[in-house]
Amino acid sequence: MKPFAYARPGDVAEAVRDVVAEPNAVFLAGGTNLVDHLRLGVARPDLVVDVRTLTSREVTDLPDGGLRLGAASTNSQVAADPRVRERWPVLAQALLAGATGQLRNMATTGGNPLQRTRCVYFQDVTTPCNKREPGSGCSAVGGYTRYHAVLGTPAALPDPTAPETCIATHPSDMAVALAALDAQVQVLGPAGERTVPFTELHRLPGDDPSRDTVLEHGDLITAIDLPALPAGTRSAYRKVRDRASYAFALISVAAAVTPDGDLRLALGGVAHKPWRATRAEEVLRGQQLTEDAVRAAIAAELAAAQPQPGIDSGNGFKIPLVARTVLATVRGLPPEEQS
Amino acid sequence: MTDLLEPRAMGQDLVRRDGELKVRGTATYAYETPVEHPAYAHPVQATIARGRVTAMDTAAAEALDGVLAVLTPFDAERLASTEDAEYAVLQGPDVGFRGQLIGVVVAETSELARQAADAVVVSYDQQPHDAELSADRPDLYAPDQVNAGHETDTAEGDVAAAMAAAEVTLERTYSTAMYHNNPLEPHATTALWEPAGDGFLTLWDSTQGVHPDRAAVCQVFGLDQEQVRVVCPYVGGGFGSKGLPHANVMLAALAARALPGRPVKLALTRQQMFSLAGYRTPTIQRMQLAADHRGRLSAIAIDVVEQTSKVKEFAEQTGVPTRMMYASPSRRSTHRLAALDVPIPSWMRAPGECPGMFGPEVAMDELAEELGIDPIELRVRNEPDVDPETGKPWSSRNLVRCLREGAERFGWSGPRAHRDGDWLVGTGVASSVYPTMRQATSTANVRYEGGRYVAEIGAADLGTGAWTILPQITADALGVDVADVDVRIGDTRYPVASVAGGSSGTNTWGSALVVAAREFRTKFGADPRDGDEASGDVDQAGQDDTHSPYAFGAQFVEARVNADTGEIRVPRLLGVFGVGRVINPRTARSQLIGGMTMGLSMALHENSAWDPAVGQVANHDLAEYHITVNADVGAIEAHWIDEHDPYVNAMGSKGIGEIGIVGTAAAVVNAVHAATGVRVRHLPVTLDKLLTALP
Ligand SMILES: Cc1cc2nc3c(=O)[nH]c(=O)nc-3n(C[C@H](O)[C@H](O)[C@H](O)COP(=O)(O)OP(=O)(O)OC[C@H]3O[C@@H](n4cnc5c(N)ncnc54)[C@H](O)[C@@H]3O)c2cc1C
Ligand code: SF4
């Protein structure tokens, strides 16, 4: 652990200024991810700016029927909010499927989507990792890939020495639900406020795996907005993991079906970002959600999937698992309300 | 026959004497020992798996304000003995595995020590490493013996001929994963050298045996026993990994030696425990069974391949239970090792029996299926009258009773598979076994002091219950109320005691306490005076060697597999054991269900994902190395039969610390097979291994 300065400024504007002024500064919220990284040497900031008490803890109604989740609202709080439970159950379920009660009490709306990958090589500073140390290579290729990506990767077994190689997944459950819900991220940056669609917040590795999101240095998430869903929308989150609790997703599925039969589908544990299954959605547009139709749609989504070989047979199992879990999730949606 | 005690305190489910302290958080563990002005040590570890350290630049570390000492292989003092290569810390530049200790920093705070350790710049001459186990390596070798002094290979009759002649044969290869003990309390030490004189060392160390710990330290540092005191009243779990000291203890003592008079604390991080605190080797088990159509075995054979470290040999005795478990005229067992550039394997709960009852107990289920015989019935048909290995009669063997009573309690009869909504449900069974062992040395004192009876013995309580049950035994041996007895343990100031290992603690220390108590009564009668004292050695206790002493058990599992995702749940786990007299049902049940839970964990979750390219366990923390959590455990029951064994010891008790983990994983595999038709022969049972067979 490297020593760092700690600041708790007076307000969010000052917090942004503090971070902008120090190139090696980071925001701290619940600390459940960042503090681990400080200990492990994965994060080595000179300045830690604590924003937990500066951003809002409130969950407030928006005029159009949506909901605003203040960046400092906790995962437990949002999961328990009656409005979320009733109108966005997929989000409440995703939150409750994540981590443990203790962690959810600390983890925040702003911090959760910005948690970093659980790739074991990323978390171990003694192994090469392009995300942690750009240009050092990717130790995951052919290694422990059970929790790694099958979508959005150029190839199975990409070149481990290439600086752009990264096959990590984004680990958040919450983020998968937010991607399906077309959430909007409120950002305060050096140049003022702006709104980023949640599906555009995270990025694929491209030529710079060190960047998880499109946020720039000094960009602070102040809130995440949930747009209203058409009345009667049914939604659910299904997480598949190696033990019944306290484990990251092998894969996960967030699904919402509007009364018109439009499916919104996002996948977790499959890519460098929460994966909005736009291709499957397109295939299904205007169609009845029969088993066959959903199966064909998900097959289209997975057509470009690349299984990664590795220890314990790699992660090829994710491809059929995603297909099966999507079908089961859609099948298991609560019945339409009789009007 | 031994002279059995009449149970009065024994058999009562007394609450743990140390329970309140632990619940209140006031039981002091090694790292928390209140000492004055402690300093903190943090190791430097090799980041290559094989080669040599050519230079260590410690300037940046030493320049940090508050760093007190930096030791490297180039300047650390020479130890008196480097005979045990695991303990020869900082004695040379060679690196034998990734994570090996190559330095230590001592500083005013633990954070600073860690920062300084990170600041040490190491240069290596790196050599290619060899760290991948397989059964077809050309360099597999037969060790001289396997753990606990067992023979490497045994053979009786002619397995090949029996296989050729048999009506039914089964040949299968099974494997168990690499596992790390992962006790909750990390390996931790507070070490203090007296500043003056020729050196007196105190170690507050988290250990399963203060005396064995001391003996190892004395040897390494060239000290007399009188020069070292080891204290350890409480242990936050060990599961074998604290049975023998590991290199961290020697490093802590070495670091403290640089600062005489100043206590130095060293606790391994969770990640460090994955390379420094021992682990269970992966095993590959080739099984052969030959039987007639009624299921009577004519041959049973196991050929085991496993790994050890080139630094130091440890050979897990995986093939041992096959030698005695079932009646079969032809039997064979072999062990072959690959010596690799890997951390040093060691004891983990039920070494030998735990992995060694996986292959055989799945194979028995496979044979039962092949023959169309109920798996319980198959086992009953192969029940040996005497120990097949030694020819001796059993001290008591109640496997069949355990199987039958378990079947009754579990509701075994009827179909083993059905579907319940989205879930495929199946049931499975397997046998458990564990030898009843007694160690050769242990001494106890019993004294009358201020109107109470005080017994002293350097025993260890790893959360197992020794604090509570040793007074129960002593009380019955003295014929007094248990409330009037104190037993003091966990300090080398008390008489010598053996390691808490091999489920031998109660047998060994209890026997010594009984000898001491009886001696006390013989000497001082029923009305002792203050200060009267007697001692007793375990070797004075009656020892029967005309019988073969083992505990047996049967475990039953209900497994549910999700028809969509393959997720596996185990809502029911039930074990019935024959473990002699149960001295305290509360602590005994805790040991048995703890073992079964660890067995479930082995079946479904635990897996040290070894990355042979890097040369380390990839998932080396508790977020990624999965251990079964509460949500994974449904109804779990441990029962025991009323077993009377007059041959084992004066308490009539067998060990219970390890048998619970034996057989569980096989029972889970057998249940999952019943549910899905998939026979998972390579642990752990994870959903990816079931997916293709799902509807
Ligand atoms: C053992 C374990 C198991 C877990 N299991 C799961 C799981 O199953 N599913 C799951 O989804 N998650 C899981 N988590 C992760 C957990 O959900 C995240 O650590 C948590 O949500 C992060 O939120 P935080 O507020 O603590 O963020 P912090 O740790 O404070 O910060 C995380 C990152 O976000 C940045 N940041 C924080 N707030 C802001 C802001 N307002 N604006 C800009 N940047 C910001 C920080 O600089 C940092 O980079 C687990 C964590 C642990 C330790
Ligand atoms: S997958 Fe990405 S995060 Fe993991 S080692 Fe490779 S570059 Fe690093």
Side-chain angles (χ1 to χ4, degrees):
Chain A
M1 171 136 72
K2 172 175 155 299
F4 51 82
Y6 171 85
R8 189 183 284 180
D11 59 25
V12 285
E14 202 184 321
V16 170
R17 277 199 304 276
D18 284 354
V19 167
V20 170
E22 167 55 63
N24 196 15
V26 292
F27 294 119
L28 172 74
T32 58
N33 192 226
L34 184 58
V35 173
D36 276 3
H37 287 169
L38 294 172
R39 288 217 182 87
L40 294 167
V42 170
R44 304 174 61 82
D46 290 319
L47 173 67
V48 171
V49 178
D50 191 341
V51 294
R52 193 184 166 91
T53 55
L54 307 183
T55 53
S56 169
R57 290 201 66 140
E58 303 294 310
V59 175
T60 45
D61 289 307
L62 291 171
D64 64 352
L67 206 59
R68 171 160 293 177
L69 315 176
S73 56
T74 67
N75 287 180
S76 308
Q77 176 196 350
V78 173
D81 191 289
R83 292 161 291 184
V84 176
R85 289 167 60 104
E86 200 183 308
R87 280 139 62 194
W88 295 273
V90 60
L91 177 60
Q93 290 167 16
L95 284 164
L96 290 177
T100 64
Q102 295 93 324
L103 285 160
R104 293 194 295 269
N105 288 341
M106 290 302 288
T108 62
T109 295
N112 187 314
L114 299 183
Q115 65 175 292
R116 310 214 59 196
T117 181
R118 303 301 299 197
C119 171
V120 293
Y121 306 98
F122 172 75
Q123 297 190 84
D124 180 344
V125 297
T126 68
T127 49
C129 166
N130 284 327
K131 185 180 279 301
R132 179 170 28 76
E133 211 180 312
S136 62
C138 173
S139 301
V141 173
Y144 187 52
T145 55
R146 188 169 181 81
Y147 288 88
H148 286 70
V150 290
L151 288 170
T153 48
L157 272 184
D159 177 3
T161 62
E164 68 276 8
T165 297
C166 177
I167 56 171
T169 49
H170 192 268
S172 164
D173 291 298
M174 180 192 199
V176 182
L178 292 175
L181 293 173
D182 290 317
Q184 303 290 316
V185 185
Q186 302 301 339
V187 178
L188 177 67
E193 294 180 17
R194 69 184 196 280
T195 303
V196 179
F198 193 86
T199 49
E200 289 166 29
L201 177 68
H202 296 89
R203 54 192 292 288
L204 291 176
D207 56 6
D208 186 2
S210 73
R211 295 187 57 203
D212 297 350
T213 69
V214 298
L215 297 183
E216 300 290 342
H217 186 65
D219 277 347
L220 177 74
I221 295 181
T222 55
I224 295 182
D225 293 348
L226 302 178
L229 288 168
T233 299
R234 299 169 297 143
S235 71
Y237 187 73
R238 177 90 178 247
K239 176 177 182 177
V240 181
R241 48 187 152 179
D242 272 334
R243 66 180 165 190
S245 149
Y246 192 34
F248 287 91
L250 289 166
I251 63 105
S252 68
V253 174
V257 179
T258 65
D260 300 344
D262 257 3
L263 174 67
R264 301 184 192 177
L265 187 65
L267 307 174
V270 294
H272 193 256
K273 60 183 218 174
W275 190 266
R276 182 72 182 258
T278 45
R279 191 162 311 161
E281 290 180 8
E282 267 161 39
V283 171
L284 282 171
R285 196 144 299 141
Q287 284 201 46
Q288 287 280 346
L289 287 182
T290 60
E291 293 256 340
D292 284 346
V294 175
R295 195 175 285 120
I298 194 65
E301 187 69 50
L302 293 168
Q306 300 279 359
Q308 294 297 331
I311 297 166
D312 294 337
S313 309
N315 72 1
F317 69 91
K318 285 189 176 186
I319 298 167
L321 181 59
V322 165
R324 300 181 72 98
T325 310
V326 167
L327 276 170
T329 310
V330 173
R331 198 191 306 130
L333 283 170
E336 276 178 78
E337 272 174 39
Q338 307 298 319
S339 45
Chain B
M1 291 253 276
T2 42
D3 191 0
L4 280 181
L5 292 178
E6 186 180 334
R8 293 211 299 259
M10 292 194 303
Q12 292 183 30
D13 72 338
L14 304 181
V15 298
R16 287 174 192 267
R17 289 191 167 191
D18 51 338
E20 188 176 327
L21 289 178
K22 286 180 175 171
V23 170
R24 289 181 184 278
T26 54
T28 36
Y29 292 84
Y31 196 76
E32 312 169 325
T33 308
V35 286
E36 256 174 55
H37 199 35
Y40 296 84
H42 196 87
V44 182
Q45 294 175 277
T47 56
I48 61 166
R50 197 167 100 85
R52 269 178 53 245
V53 177
T54 53
M56 286 175 78
D57 182 353
T58 58
E62 279 161 346
L64 290 168
D65 194 24
V67 169
L68 302 167
V70 183
L71 305 181
T72 71
F74 304 105
D75 54 25
E77 77 171 274
R78 297 302 99 177
L79 296 167
S81 167
T82 54
E83 199 182 314
D84 187 321
E86 179 177 8
Y87 300 156
V89 292
L90 317 191
Q91 298 302 292
D94 292 343
V95 174
F97 61 90
R98 200 176 211 274
Q100 181 184 314
L101 296 172
I102 54 169
V104 65
V105 174
V106 191
E108 295 288 353
T109 66
S110 62
E111 292 82 0
L112 188 58
R114 189 164 181 172
Q115 183 196 353
D118 288 344
V120 174
V121 183
V122 185
S123 313
Y124 299 99
D125 169 14
Q126 185 171 359
Q127 306 286 319
H129 63 262
D130 173 9
E132 192 158 16
L133 176 69
S134 77
D136 45 22
R137 292 179 61 105
D139 60 349
L140 297 175
Y141 73 97
D144 291 342
Q145 57 174 31
V146 293
N147 183 45
H150 291 282
E151 282 177 82
T152 302
D153 296 349
T154 58
E156 191 160 320
D158 187 340
V159 170
M163 290 290 287
E167 291 171 9
V168 183
T169 61
L170 189 97
E171 283 199 58
R172 296 279 189 274
T173 300
Y174 303 90
S175 66
T176 58
M178 179 190 292
Y179 306 105
H180 279 76
N181 312 54
N182 273 315
L184 194 53
E185 181 202 20
H187 294 63
T189 313
T190 302
L192 171 64
W193 290 87
E194 292 304 327
D198 44 335
F200 186 90
L201 171 66
T202 306
L203 291 172
W204 293 269
D205 189 33
S206 184
T207 173
Q208 292 174 222
V210 288
H211 288 96
D213 206 23
R214 180 175 72 174
V217 169
C218 286
Q219 160 123 36
V220 170
F221 287 88
L223 300 166
D224 295 333
Q225 309 275 299
E226 297 71 43
Q227 287 173 281
V228 180
R229 179 180 175 200
V230 179
V231 186
C232 181
Y234 309 108
V235 188
F239 308 116
S241 71
K242 296 170 182 170
L244 292 167
H246 293 293
N248 60 296
V249 180
M250 307 309 162
L251 192 73
L254 195 66
R257 192 126 139 148
L259 297 169
R262 192 117 190 237
V264 171
K265 299 191 174 206
L266 191 158
L268 294 184
T269 65
R270 186 61 58 181
Q271 287 85 350
Q272 288 165 349
M273 287 166 69
F274 277 83
S275 42
L276 293 168
Y279 63 95
R280 197 193 303 282
T281 171
T283 73
I284 303 165
Q285 309 172 18
R286 181 167 158 263
M287 289 296 309
Q288 290 175 301
L289 297 179
D292 64 21
H293 68 273
R294 290 169 45 241
R296 297 271 297 270
L297 291 172
S298 53
I300 182 167
I302 184 169
D303 297 301
V304 180
V305 174
E306 49 200 17
Q307 76 185 37
T308 184
S309 171
K310 278 183 201 158
V311 174
K312 172 172 160 181
E313 184 184 276
F314 176 83
E316 180 132 0
Q317 72 274 35
T318 304
V320 163
T322 297
R323 296 173 183 172
M324 49 61 65
M325 194 62 199
Y326 297 113
S328 170
S330 294
R331 297 186 315 280
R332 184 186 71 238
S333 64
T334 65
H335 295 87
R336 295 294 176 268
L337 296 184
L340 305 174
D341 301 311
V342 296
I344 305 159
S346 186
W347 298 338
M348 180 162 168
R349 201 173 200 168
E353 280 71 20
C354 171
M357 284 290 277
F358 176 66
E361 289 301 301
V362 179
M364 287 296 274
D365 202 67
E366 297 206 47
L367 181 65
E369 187 196 12
E370 182 108 8
L371 291 165
I373 299 177
D374 179 86
I376 292 179
E377 192 52 35
L378 179 67
R379 287 170 173 87
V380 172
R381 288 184 194 173
N382 288 288
E383 182 68 3
D385 298 332
V386 296
D387 179 350
E389 193 183 9
T390 61
K392 292 178 188 176
W394 305 102
S395 71
S396 52
R397 173 169 168 134
N398 283 301
L399 175 62
V400 174
R401 267 179 72 193
C402 292
L403 286 162
R404 297 249 192 260
E405 184 174 327
E408 186 69 33
R409 287 179 179 274
F410 183 80
W412 176 258
S413 64
R416 280 179 66 188
H418 70 276
R419 185 166 176 154
D420 178 10
D422 291 338
W423 295 89
L424 312 175
V425 187
T427 57
V429 63
S431 306
S432 307
V433 65
Y434 200 79
T436 303
M437 292 192 270
R438 189 192 293 180
Q439 309 283 340
T441 37
S442 274
T443 304
N445 280 346
V446 173
R447 193 168 56 247
Y448 191 63
E449 190 180 291
R452 299 178 63 73
Y453 293 87
V454 177
E456 293 172 338
I457 181 164
D461 186 328
L462 334 177
T464 42
W467 275 115
T468 312
I469 65 150
L470 296 181
Q472 292 176 272
I473 295 167
T474 311
D476 285 353
L478 287 166
V480 298
D481 197 303
V482 65
D484 296 332
V485 177
D486 293 322
V487 176
R488 297 178 187 155
I489 62 172
D491 194 326
T492 50
R493 288 203 167 151
Y494 305 139
V496 64
S498 57
V499 66
S503 299
S504 66
T506 303
N507 188 351
T508 310
W509 314 324
S511 296
L513 283 162
V514 170
V515 174
R518 285 176 172 163
E519 176 70 14
F520 183 93
R521 282 288 181 241
T522 310
K523 264 183 157 161
F524 308 112
D527 208 6
R529 283 179 312 183
D530 205 55
D532 282 349
E533 180 169 328
S535 80
D537 285 346
V538 64
D539 61 11
Q540 298 164 271
Q543 172 88 320
D544 165 277
D545 39 57
T546 58
H547 290 80
S548 196
Y550 283 88
F552 293 89
Q555 300 200 29
F556 294 78
V557 166
E558 177 186 326
R560 298 168 83 86
V561 175
N562 188 278
D564 293 310
T565 61
E567 290 159 292
I568 305 133
R569 300 285 180 260
V570 172
R572 279 200 305 145
L573 193 52
L574 184 147
V576 177
F577 301 93
V579 288
R581 182 187 309 288
V582 167
I583 292 170
N584 182 324
R586 181 187 304 259
T587 52
R589 180 169 287 111
S590 165
Q591 283 301 297
L592 293 170
I593 65 172
M596 291 162 70
T597 304
M598 209 164 168
L600 177 64
S601 199
M602 168 187 182
L604 300 181
H605 302 125
E606 289 188 52
N607 179 16
S608 307
W610 179 255
D611 186 330
V614 181
Q616 75 178 8
V617 175
N619 55 345
H620 55 183
D621 62 47
L622 290 185
E624 333 292 331
Y625 179 93
H626 288 167
I627 295 171
T628 290
V629 294
N630 277 332
D632 295 299
V633 182
I636 180 164
E637 292 177 33
H639 303 273
W640 44 85
I641 57 172
D642 188 17
E643 186 174 76
H644 178 77
D645 192 323
Y647 301 107
V648 281
N649 51 47
M651 296 78 71
S653 69
K654 301 174 176 176
I656 49 165
E658 289 162 279
I659 189 168
I661 198 179
V662 179
T664 325
V668 171
V669 162
N670 297 341
V672 167
H673 173 261
T676 62
V678 182
R679 186 71 71 173
V680 179
R681 300 191 182 91
H682 310 288
L683 289 177
V685 187
T686 46
L687 60 90
D688 47 298
K689 297 173 182 168
L690 306 177
L691 270 187
T692 50
L694 296 179

